[in-house]
């Protein structure tokens, strides 16, 4: 019997837990109910529990045998600040909050892996089950690291996963090297001198300067990033005046930057500051740029990516594991854990069509419970292979 088969025997119970998490979403650093339930279930299986790691994070520790190997398995717990459009029985009960990215499923997958490993104990070493808060742009990984995550719970390697709509259930996708982009949120405030719309010559019009900055920003990637590299700059907001006949004093732009290399991110920051300030100066205005890093590029180390792919292949067969998946421009703050330790991040099939095909961050999204045994089984098999008993 494989780990998938064993965990599938518990699927009704874990499906109920996952749907309960879905119905009670909590935003980053507010996961009080979720973390309490996680801690309670870990403890019920005899796993050592540490609460309030990085504010609302939980770490479970499971030791077996005399092995010195130490592995970290990580899942995120937070929901999104968005309304839910689904009408099923387990839809969100909290207005304006929704598990729109499947973190309810990731939490459940790691719980299922923890139960399996606690019952079978077919490994020799230590497993740290890391339940992270605040992945959605609020710095949960950094908070856990600042709270001494790897000093308190040493890991030789750390592994994470994410569901992937459009990838069939029972399939996996991974790659060595960059797998997800780094992300930055930026704000640009253009300061001019307002006045009457009938007399623009008496003003320094920040609207004109801001519009030119938007256009100029689009040249940065094409003229500063190599053709074989990848990056994107998107201006997603432009806030100016409210009156029809008043040229405002200032306008505010905002947006996001994505790239797969830290070096590329630094080039983009330098050029964005120079372009915004220079264009504004050309119109007699000034521009102040604020640059907020949300996530570093997620970069899998080759050995650990291979180990995850091998564990998946042992369960579902090599044809169902894509080992060189194209990277995606989405971001993941698990990247900060990978800056500290070797590790890898894999995508787990969430299904196609009506059964799991709706993309994440969509009000109609729902995690596909059929994926639970595969994600959990892969993590458990990874532990059994990396911390294999000798003799």
């Amino acid at each position: 019997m494989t780990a998938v088969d064993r965990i599938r025997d518990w699927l009704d119970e874990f499906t109920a837990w996952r749907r309960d998490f879905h119905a009670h979403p909590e935003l980053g650093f507010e996961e009080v109910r979720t973390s309490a339930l996680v801690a309670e279930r870990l403890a019920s299986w005899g796993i050592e529990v540490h609460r309030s790691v990085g504010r609302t994070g939980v770490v479970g520790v499971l030791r077996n045998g005399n092995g010195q190997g130490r592995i970290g398995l990580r899942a995120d717990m937070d929901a999104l600040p968005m309304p839910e459009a689904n009408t099923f029985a387990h839809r969100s009960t909290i207005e304006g909050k929704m598990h729109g990215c499947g973190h309810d499923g990731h939490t459940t997958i790691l719980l299922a892996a923890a139960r399996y490993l606690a019952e079978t104990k077919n490994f020799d070493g230590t497993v740290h089950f890391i339940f992270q808060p605040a992945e959605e742009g609020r710095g949960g990984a950094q908070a856990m690291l600042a709270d001494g995550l790897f000093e308190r719970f040493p890991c030789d390697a750390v592994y994470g996963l994410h569901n992937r709509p459009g990838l069939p259930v029972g399939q996996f996708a991974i790659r060595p090297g960059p797998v997800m982009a780094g992300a930055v949120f930026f704000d640009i405030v253009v300061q001019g001198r307002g006045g009457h719309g009938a007399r623009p010559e008496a003003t320094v019009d920040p609207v004109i300067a801001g519009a030119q900055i938007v256009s100029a920003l689009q040249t940065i990637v094409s003229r500063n990033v190599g053709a074989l590299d990848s990056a994107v700059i998107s201006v997603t907001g432009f806030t100016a005046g409210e009156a029809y006949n008043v040229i405002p004093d200032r306008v505010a732009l905002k947006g996001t930057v994505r790239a797969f290399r830290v070096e590329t991110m630094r080039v983009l920051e330098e050029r964005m500051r120079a372009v915004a300030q220079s264009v504004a100066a050309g119109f007699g205005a000034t521009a102040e740029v604020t640059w907020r890093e949300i996530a570093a590029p997620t970069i899998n180390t080759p050995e650990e990516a291979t180990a995850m792919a091998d564990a998946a292949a042992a369960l579902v067969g090599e044809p169902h594991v894509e080992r060189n998946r194209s990277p995606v421009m989405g971001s993941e703050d698990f990247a900060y854990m990978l800056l500290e330790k070797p590790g890898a991040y894999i995508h787990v099939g969430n299904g196609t069509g009506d059964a799991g095909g709706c993309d994440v961050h969509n009000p109609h999204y729902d995690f596909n419970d059929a994926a639970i045994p595969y994600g959990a089984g892969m993590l458990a098999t990874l532990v059994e292979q990396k911390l294999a008993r000798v003799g």
Side-chain angles (χ1 to χ4, degrees):
M1 177 181 288
T2 69
V4 169
D5 297 326
R6 180 72 172 269
I7 294 167
R8 192 179 284 119
D9 288 341
W10 309 327
L11 185 55
D12 287 347
E13 181 179 13
F14 280 104
T15 294
W17 290 1
R18 200 283 301 177
R19 294 182 179 184
D20 177 70
F21 289 140
H22 188 96
H24 300 89
E26 297 174 302
L27 303 183
F29 296 126
E30 299 175 4
E31 306 96 336
V32 175
R33 180 183 186 273
T34 303
S35 61
L37 289 171
V38 165
E40 174 185 309
R41 285 157 187 167
L42 292 174
S44 73
W45 302 321
I47 296 172
E48 178 185 311
V49 176
H50 299 261
R51 304 171 186 251
S52 303
V53 182
R55 295 172 61 177
T56 47
V58 177
V59 177
V61 181
L62 181 63
R63 302 178 182 88
N64 191 59
N66 300 312
Q68 300 303 302
R70 304 160 300 183
I71 284 179
L73 305 177
R74 173 267 195 185
D76 38 21
M77 299 188 293
D78 57 323
L80 286 160
M82 61 180 288
E84 179 161 7
N86 294 311
T87 58
F88 44 57
H90 61 277
R91 66 187 179 276
S92 174
T93 60
I94 304 174
E95 188 67 29
K97 299 180 183 181
M98 176 194 175
H99 268 296
C101 201
H103 297 186
D104 50 343
H106 305 162
T107 298
T108 307
I109 282 173
L110 189 52
L111 283 171
R115 177 177 174 180
Y116 173 88
L117 290 167
E119 290 192 6
T120 59
K121 290 187 170 64
N122 186 29
F123 67 95
D124 187 17
T126 301
V127 185
H128 295 126
F129 303 101
I130 302 167
F131 292 86
Q132 182 204 306
E135 188 279 328
E136 296 286 355
R138 299 192 178 192
Q142 298 97 313
M144 295 192 87
L145 291 168
D147 206 7
L149 176 66
F150 291 133
E151 291 78 22
R152 297 165 61 185
F153 311 101
C155 295
D156 302 318
V158 62
Y159 300 90
L161 55 74
H162 202 289
N163 74 94
R164 186 67 171 170
L167 184 67
V169 170
Q171 295 190 20
F172 297 84
I174 195 170
R175 62 176 284 117
V179 62
M180 298 187 77
V184 164
F185 290 168
F186 68 84
D187 294 277
I188 302 174
V189 175
V190 182
Q191 185 67 50
R193 185 177 68 250
H196 201 293
R199 295 187 294 278
E201 73 280 3
T203 73
V204 174
D205 190 342
V207 177
I208 296 296
Q212 294 300 315
I213 289 172
V214 172
S215 294
L217 292 179
Q218 303 312 306
T219 69
I220 292 175
V221 171
S222 67
R223 291 301 176 266
N224 295 273
V225 177
L228 299 182
D229 199 355
S230 296
V232 64
I233 297 174
S234 294
V235 179
T236 58
F238 192 121
T239 304
E242 297 181 1
Y244 286 96
N245 59 349
V246 176
I247 292 173
D249 281 324
R250 65 193 290 275
V251 301
L253 315 180
K254 64 181 179 180
T256 185
V257 177
R258 311 270 170 160
F260 292 112
R261 298 172 63 244
V262 173
E263 297 82 0
T264 303
M265 299 291 279
R266 298 289 80 81
V267 169
L268 296 178
E269 178 182 7
E270 176 187 339
R271 296 307 304 147
M272 282 186 65
R273 291 186 187 278
V275 166
Q277 292 166 0
S278 299
V279 171
F283 290 91
T286 61
E288 180 181 347
V289 179
T290 302
W291 179 273
R292 291 187 293 131
E293 184 175 280
I294 303 302
T298 304
I299 301 175
N300 289 343
T301 48
E303 180 179 343
E304 284 66 37
T306 298
M308 278 197 115
D310 288 348
L315 292 177
V316 299
E318 192 64 41
H320 300 295
V321 180
E322 187 175 352
R323 290 178 180 258
N324 196 27
R325 181 81 164 192
S326 297
V328 296
M329 276 293 177
S331 301
E332 166 62 68
D333 81 347
F334 179 62
Y336 290 105
M337 295 188 187
L338 293 180
L339 290 177
E340 300 289 330
K341 297 290 179 181
Y345 187 78
I346 196 169
H347 286 109
V348 180
N350 197 60
T352 59
D354 293 336
C358 180
D359 205 1
V360 297
H361 292 227
N362 183 301
H364 293 281
Y365 169 85
D366 190 30
F367 180 84
N368 189 344
D369 297 304
I372 293 172
Y374 291 99
M378 182 275 300
L379 292 178
T381 301
L382 174 66
V383 169
E384 291 176 340
Q385 291 182 345
K386 293 289 287 184
L387 301 180
R389 287 177 164 178
V390 178

